[in-house]
Amino acid sequence: MPSIETILRFLSDPNTLWVLSGTMLLGLSSGVIGAFAFLRKRSLMGDVLAHAALPGICIAFMLTGAKSPIFFLIGAILSGVLASIAINVITRFSRIKEDTALGLILSVFFGFGIVLLTQIQHQGSGNQSGLDKFLFGQSASLVGEDVWVMGSVAVLLLVVTFLFFKEFKLLCFDAGFGRSLGFPMTALDLFLMLLLVVAVVIGLQAAGVVLVVALIVTPAAAARYWTERLDIMLILSAILGGLSGALGTGLSTMGYNLPTGPLIVVAASFIFFISMVFAPQRGLLAKALRLARVRRETAQESILHMLYEARERGAGPVTVRDVATRFTLSSWRLQQAVRNLVKKGWIRIESRGEDRVLTATENGWQAAYNSVLHARLTEVWMMHENEVGGAIRDPDSGALREEIPEDILPTLWKLLILHGREPQWKPSLVQKPEQGGVEG
């Protein structure tokens, strides 16, 4: 853990504060633009644009002979726009798929950039140009002029994104609907690519052409785990991007001579890992817990259904071995389900020789009847979904809901009788349905 003295020295160093400001602004703007690129499934496009910016930077240096952030920015933007246009032309006027076009343009532009960079290094003043730092980035070399340029462009990106929020939202989620409303979706897509080019270019000096795409994609991917709303995702992505920049810069000042750009990427990757595992709804841990709960409930319902159907047919007693034979339940899952049902007071276990016989209690029969009835009502609803209607299926996930709307219940009762699926036996505690006449 860093001491207070180290933190105070960190905050009192002007050069460090310049670097910290630059990396945080870079993370903020990259996170916002990256969220739209992530939702448009254009993450690889950021990588291509980053590599395609290198020849533009080299040509800008060869034409001006000066290491100016403004000229580098202009050269990189022009080079990135040219690469984006080339990808669109290849995919639109040929049979080459987009992933092939992306790989082709990345290789061509980056190879050309390396050739120009080598040529510059062989010139008299080439060794002092510092253009090789754009390959892997060098945040420590950021000065006040660089930060002002990065900050101005970052603020401009945030303002433009706010102004075009509605249009970009349509572009990401339903471009066809947006086109039917009269929005120029193709132009908006190219405009979003232009903003992505700008976001990539301003991060080149800090993270380099190899790693800058991580600042575009990683915060957005991490933010996606925490929310279903686009506006909150944009805010979270910006915050996580800025936090990654601050953490990477802070770690690089600890005195271990570690580069800032890669540390920013490592910090962003660590935040993504935390989000992927621990996010409350979409995280791996939450999904694992939900899956375990569903499997546990399914195992219990399987036992109750088997007990009820045996009673309905007038068959003999049900043993634990019968349940294990009929359902593909592991021994551990079956024993856990039996213990849970006993704990709820829904079944009893009697030992008869080597077998263990399961018998439902009064409350257990009622629970079994309700579960079987719900399953059969859902079954006939799925068979006649287009005729019956109703909202049993969740509109977002498509999963079936536990509650069946009362307005479609009479129709489902009639369909149960029509298909001969109405329960033939009911426990005494179950109330008779008001409509449908399936008292059995």
Side-chain angles (χ1 to χ4, degrees):
M1 291 291 291
S3 62
I4 297 179
E5 183 181 355
T6 303
I7 296 175
L8 292 177
R9 188 170 63 250
F10 171 77
L11 295 176
S12 61
D13 184 359
N15 185 55
T16 303
L17 290 180
W18 280 121
V19 175
L20 179 64
S21 303
T23 53
M24 289 186 67
L25 287 171
L26 172 63
L28 285 171
S29 58
S30 300
V32 173
I33 299 299
F36 287 113
F38 175 81
L39 294 173
R40 283 284 293 164
K41 298 181 174 58
R42 297 292 181 87
S43 300
L44 186 57
M45 177 65 84
D47 196 21
V48 175
L49 296 178
H51 286 77
L54 185 60
I57 294 172
C58 294
I59 292 174
F61 178 80
M62 295 172 73
L63 293 177
T64 63
K67 186 185 174 184
S68 169
I70 299 295
F71 291 136
F72 287 175
L73 181 66
I74 295 173
I77 289 176
L78 292 176
S79 183
V81 170
L82 182 61
S84 179
I85 293 174
I87 293 170
N88 278 314
V89 169
I90 290 175
T91 54
R92 181 168 297 182
F93 298 104
S94 73
R95 294 188 175 183
I96 295 177
K97 300 297 182 184
E98 185 175 13
D99 57 339
T100 306
L102 290 172
L104 183 67
I105 294 300
L106 185 150
S107 305
V108 170
F109 275 73
F110 189 60
F112 184 53
I114 292 295
V115 170
L116 294 177
L117 184 62
T118 305
Q119 182 65 27
I120 292 173
Q121 296 296 322
H122 290 165
Q123 294 177 357
S125 59
N127 292 330
Q128 286 76 38
S129 65
L131 295 185
D132 56 327
K133 302 298 187 300
F134 281 91
L135 287 178
F136 298 102
Q138 190 178 43
S139 301
S141 65
L142 291 175
V143 295
E145 184 183 3
D146 300 325
V147 175
W148 276 113
V149 172
M150 290 174 60
S152 302
V153 176
V155 171
L156 179 63
L157 286 175
L158 295 175
V159 171
V160 171
T161 304
F162 175 76
L163 293 177
F164 285 86
F165 175 78
K166 181 178 66 177
E167 287 79 3
F168 287 158
K169 185 177 181 180
L170 271 174
L171 179 66
C172 291
F173 293 105
D174 199 339
F177 178 67
R179 194 172 290 108
S180 68
L181 294 178
F183 287 97
M185 288 294 119
T186 303
L188 282 172
D189 192 28
L190 292 175
F191 184 51
L192 180 61
M193 288 301 102
L194 176 63
L195 297 181
L196 183 61
V197 170
V198 175
V200 167
V201 168
I202 64 172
L204 289 179
Q205 191 170 357
V209 298
V210 179
L211 297 177
V212 70
V213 67
L215 294 178
I216 301 290
V217 177
T218 312
R224 184 68 183 90
Y225 276 101
W226 295 95
T227 181
E228 303 286 343
R229 292 182 51 181
L230 176 61
D231 51 351
I232 297 178
M233 179 183 170
L234 291 180
I235 296 173
L236 280 178
S237 183
I239 292 174
L240 295 179
L243 181 62
S244 302
L247 287 175
T249 305
L251 290 173
S252 69
T253 60
M254 295 299 174
Y256 300 108
N257 295 322
L258 297 176
T260 306
L263 282 177
I264 293 175
V265 175
V266 170
S269 302
F270 178 74
I271 293 174
F272 170 77
F273 176 77
I274 296 295
S275 303
M276 182 177 67
V277 175
F278 298 105
Q281 294 296 328
R282 302 170 62 91
L284 296 180
L285 183 60
K287 287 184 177 179
L289 292 175
R290 282 200 300 271
L291 180 61
R293 178 177 59 81
V294 170
R295 286 178 173 172
R296 185 171 60 249
E297 294 177 354
T298 302
Q300 296 177 26
E301 288 178 355
S302 298
I303 296 174
L304 291 176
H305 286 201
M306 191 166 180
L307 287 171
Y308 178 84
E309 289 168 0
R311 179 69 177 267
E312 189 180 39
R313 297 192 309 270
V318 175
T319 65
V320 175
R321 183 182 301 176
D322 296 333
V323 178
T325 303
R326 177 174 174 181
F327 300 106
T328 56
L329 299 175
S330 65
S331 175
W332 175 83
R333 181 74 63 189
L334 176 59
Q335 296 301 328
Q336 182 194 43
V338 171
R339 283 197 302 272
N340 288 337
L341 290 174
V342 172
K343 188 176 180 180
K344 290 179 179 178
W346 288 357
I347 65 171
R348 291 188 296 269
I349 303 177
E350 299 175 14
S351 297
R352 296 182 185 177
E354 296 182 354
D355 290 331
R356 292 192 300 164
V357 177
L358 302 177
T359 307
T361 63
E362 192 171 2
N363 290 332
W365 284 125
Q366 185 172 1
Y369 175 85
N370 292 336
S371 180
V372 168
L373 181 60
H374 184 276
R376 294 181 182 179
L377 287 172
T378 305
E379 179 184 324
V380 296
W381 178 82
M382 293 177 69
M383 295 167 62
H384 300 271
E385 179 178 356
N386 293 331
E387 308 163 27
V388 178
I392 294 181
R393 198 180 297 279
D394 186 274
D396 296 326
S397 64
L400 297 176
R401 293 172 173 169
E402 294 184 358
E403 298 295 332
I404 297 177
E406 293 186 0
D407 57 332
I408 64 173
L409 206 51
T411 305
L412 294 181
W413 279 110
K414 294 176 181 177
L415 290 172
L416 271 183
I417 297 172
L418 178 66
H419 290 281
R421 296 288 292 160
E422 73 274 22
Q424 300 297 321
W425 173 82
K426 66 177 186 301
S428 58
L429 290 180
V430 176
Q431 296 179 354
K432 295 181 179 179
E434 296 179 357
Q435 301 182 57
V438 292
E439 290 87 350

